[in-house]
Amino acid sequence: CLFTLSPRLEDLRVKLENEGLVNVSYIIVNHQGSYSQRKFHLLQESVSEYITVYQQDEQQDDVWTKLNGNKDDFLIYDRCGRLVYHLGLPYSFLSFDYVEESIKTAYCEKKCGNCSYTEPDTDVVCENITKQADEKLAEIEPKPAGQHSHHHNLHRNRHHH
C-alpha cells in the first residue's frame, strides 16, 4: 500500500540525503484506478515536497505497463537517465536494504565516465558508502577458528532484478 510506503520512502530520502546523496529525484506513480484517484490527495500529503506524486489519467496508457513493471516496483535510473535497477516484490519492500543499496550503487557508479551532473562531493560520499559497506561485511564475514583470514577484498553482490 502506497500510504504505508510513502513515510518509509520519505525516511529513506532523508537518510540518503544526510549521507550526502543529493540531487536524487524521487517520484511515486499513483495507480490509475478510480480508488487510487480518489485517494491521490492523501498520498500527496503523506510525503514532503521533495517527492513528486504523479497522478495518471484514467484514459492514458498505464505508465507501469509502458515500463514493463507493476505498481509496487522501484525503477532506479542513473543520472544519465538509464535504467540501472528494476526491483519488484519482495525486493521492493523498504524494510529490506535492496532499494537503498540500489540507489547508492546507481549514484556512485560511473559507467559513462565523468558526468556534468555529478556533485563536487560525490567521490567522497561514495568512498564513505563503500567503506561503511565493507566494514559491515567484515563484521559478518565468518573467520575460520584458529586461522588468519587472508581474504581482504570483500565484494558486494549487486542483484539486478
Side-chain angles (χ1 to χ4, degrees), residues 80-103:
C80 299
R82 293 179 308 234
L83 179 64
V84 178
Y85 291 100
H86 181 163
L87 302 172
L89 292 174
Y91 303 102
S92 60
F93 287 129
L94 289 175
S95 54
F96 299 132
D97 289 335
Y98 296 108
V99 174
E100 180 179 343
E101 292 302 317
S102 298
I103 292 171

Side-chain angles (χ1 to χ4, degrees), residues 48-67:
S48 72
E49 68 275 8
Y50 300 106
I51 298 179
T52 302
V53 181
Y54 176 74
Q55 176 61 58
Q56 299 185 73
D57 185 276
E58 287 185 83
Q59 308 307 313
Q60 79 181 74
D61 291 339
D62 180 44
V63 169
W64 291 114
T65 301
K66 286 189 171 272
L67 296 173

Side-chain angles (χ1 to χ4, degrees), residues 6 19 130:
S6 304
E19 290 180 12
T130 302

Side-chain angles (χ1 to χ4, degrees), residues 99-156:
V99 174
E100 180 179 343
E101 292 302 317
S102 298
I103 292 171
K104 288 177 178 179
T105 299
Y107 191 88
C108 291
E109 282 190 351
K110 295 180 181 178
K111 291 193 176 220
C112 57
N114 291 332
C115 180
S116 61
Y117 298 115
T118 302
E119 294 296 318
D121 296 335
T122 299
D123 289 337
V124 173
V125 169
C126 293
E127 285 173 16
N128 288 338
I129 288 170
T130 302
K131 181 180 174 188
Q132 290 170 1
D134 287 346
E135 287 171 357
K136 283 182 190 176
L137 285 173
E139 289 174 11
I140 61 172
E141 181 184 40
K143 293 191 168 68
Q147 295 181 11
H148 177 72
S149 175
H150 293 283
H151 185 81
H152 296 289
N153 291 329
L154 300 174
H155 301 282
R156 289 184 285 167

